[in-house]
Amino acid sequence: MKSSFLRYAIILGLLSAIGPFAIDMYLPALPFIGADLAAGENAVQMSLLAFFLSFALFQIVYGPLSDMWGRKLPLYMGIGLFTVASIGCALATNIETLVAFRFLQGIGGAAGMVIPRAVVRDMHTGVQAARLMSLLMLVFSISPILAPLTGSAVIHFFGWRGVFWAVMIAALIGLFLLSTQLEETRPKEARAESSLRSALTAYGILLRDRNFMVLSMIGGFGIASFLVYLANSPFVLIDHYGLTPTQYSIAFSINAVSFFTVSQLTGWLGSRFGLVRVMRMAVTGFGITLAAMVVVMGAGFDQLPVLAAFLFVGYGFLGLVIPTTGVLALEEHGEIAGSASALLGTLQFVISIIAMIVAALFFTGKPLPMAAGIAMCAVIAFAVTQLTIGRRPVEVGAAAE
C-alpha cells in the first residue's frame, strides 16, 4: 500500500510538473529572449502571460473530458500537444510566433495540472487525500527547485532555445510514464453517467457552492501571490539587484524549498487539528508575514536579504494553504472530481492572471511594487478567510474534523 501510494505520488507529481517546468525553467531566459528577438520587457512578459491564459482557461475543458473519457486519454492529448508546441517555441524567429506557440503549450500543459488532482480524489478523501496531495507536491517541487537552475545551465550552453528542447524531452518522459505506470482510476460505469450536459450541470452546482467558491478564492489569491513574484522577479533580482541567472535560480529555488517542505506537514497537522483549522492558521501567517514585508521595505529597507527572508517565511505558510484548500474544495464532489478540479484550477489561475496584469501596470523594475502586489494577494486571501471561514465552519465532512 505504501509503495503504491509513493508510486502514484511520483507519477502524478511529475505529470503535474510538466506545465510549471515550462514556466520555471523559462524564467532565467526572459532577458535573453528580449535581446535575441528584439522585444521589450512587456512583449517578453506577454509570452509568459499567453501561457498562463491558456493554462488557466483550458483546465475547464480537460475536467469534463476526464470525467467522460477517463483520466488517461485527455492526458495523452494534452501532453502530446505540449510536446509539439515546445518544438514550435524552440524554432520561433520572432516574439509573435513565440507567444502563439506558448499559448498552445499552455493548452497542452493544462491537462497535467487538472487531471492528477482528480486522480487523487478518485483514490482518497480527507486526511489521506491531503497526505497524497502534499506528497505529490513534494515531487512537484522538482520544477521550481531544479527547473531554474537547469534552465540557467541549458541557457549557458545552448541558449534560450535549448530550454524548449529540454521541456520537450520532459514531456516525452511524461508520456512514457503515463503509458507504462499509471492505471486508469475512472471506471467505465462512472464515465457512462458523464456527458457535456452533465458537465455544464456540474459547473452550475459548483458555482453555486459557497464552500467551493470561497476555498477556490483563498487558494487562488495564494497562487496569485507566487505568480506575481514569478513574473516580475527575473527583472528585479537580475536587473535591479544584479544577480546572475544562476544566482537568481538559487534565490528562486530557496522559496520553493520553503513552500514544499512545509507542505509535507499538511497530513500530520490535519490529522491533529483538522484541515480547516490548519488552513485558517496558515492563511493568517501568510497574510501577516507578507503585509509586514511591504511595511518594512516601504520604510526604506530595500535590500535583497530582507525581501528574501520575508518571502521564505510567507511562502512556507503558503505551503499549507494550497493543499488544504484544494482537498477541502474537492471533498464533497467525488462524483464530478474532474469538473471540480478543472473549475478550481481555472478560477485560481484566472485570479492569478488578473493579479499579474494589475501588478504589471504598476511595475517599475524596482522591488517595492512587486512586493506590494505579492502582499496584496496575501492580504485578500486573509480577508476572504476571516469574512467567511473565519467566522463560521465550512461543512466539508471528514476533512474538517
Side-chain angles (χ1 to χ4, degrees), residues 57-101:
L57 296 179
F58 280 83
Q59 288 187 45
I60 208 167
V61 175
Y62 285 112
L65 290 181
S66 74
D67 284 340
M68 290 186 288
W69 298 347
R71 308 306 186 200
K72 292 186 70 172
L73 180 57
L75 273 171
Y76 279 123
M77 294 166 55
I79 298 175
L81 176 60
F82 180 93
T83 303
V84 173
S86 298
I87 297 173
C89 290
L91 299 177
T93 56
N94 55 62
I95 193 65
E96 292 80 13
T97 302
L98 180 62
V99 169
F101 275 109

Side-chain angles (χ1 to χ4, degrees), residues 36-171:
D36 188 40
L37 299 182
E41 286 183 3
N42 289 339
V44 174
Q45 284 188 325
M46 275 301 299
S47 68
L48 194 60
L49 186 60
F51 182 95
F52 278 124
L53 184 62
S54 58
F55 193 67
L57 296 179
F58 280 83
Q59 288 187 45
I60 208 167
V61 175
Y62 285 112
L65 290 181
S66 74
D67 284 340
M68 290 186 288
W69 298 347
R71 308 306 186 200
K72 292 186 70 172
L73 180 57
L75 273 171
Y76 279 123
M77 294 166 55
I79 298 175
L81 176 60
F82 180 93
T83 303
V84 173
S86 298
I87 297 173
C89 290
L91 299 177
T93 56
N94 55 62
I95 193 65
E96 292 80 13
T97 302
L98 180 62
V99 169
F101 275 109
R102 285 289 280 173
F103 186 84
L104 291 176
Q105 201 180 38
I107 295 175
M113 180 57 68
V114 62
I115 297 175
R117 280 197 304 252
V119 172
V120 171
R121 180 55 186 81
D122 287 342
M123 297 188 296
H124 299 288
T125 60
V127 171
Q128 280 293 96
R131 287 195 177 111
L132 180 55
M133 189 76 78
S134 60
L135 192 57
L136 183 154
M137 291 178 69
L138 179 62
V139 180
F140 180 85
S141 69
I142 191 174
S143 176
I145 293 174
L146 295 183
L149 291 169
T150 306
S152 295
V154 169
I155 292 164
H156 178 74
F157 289 105
F158 304 104
W160 66 267
R161 297 179 190 277
V163 168
F164 293 107
W165 294 117
V167 297
M168 181 204 71
I169 293 171

Side-chain angles (χ1 to χ4, degrees), residues 317-342:
F317 282 114
L318 186 61
L320 294 174
V321 174
I322 301 304
T324 52
T325 54
V327 169
L328 291 169
L330 299 182
E331 183 71 15
E332 296 300 307
H333 299 292
E335 294 300 315
I336 52 172
S339 297
S341 177

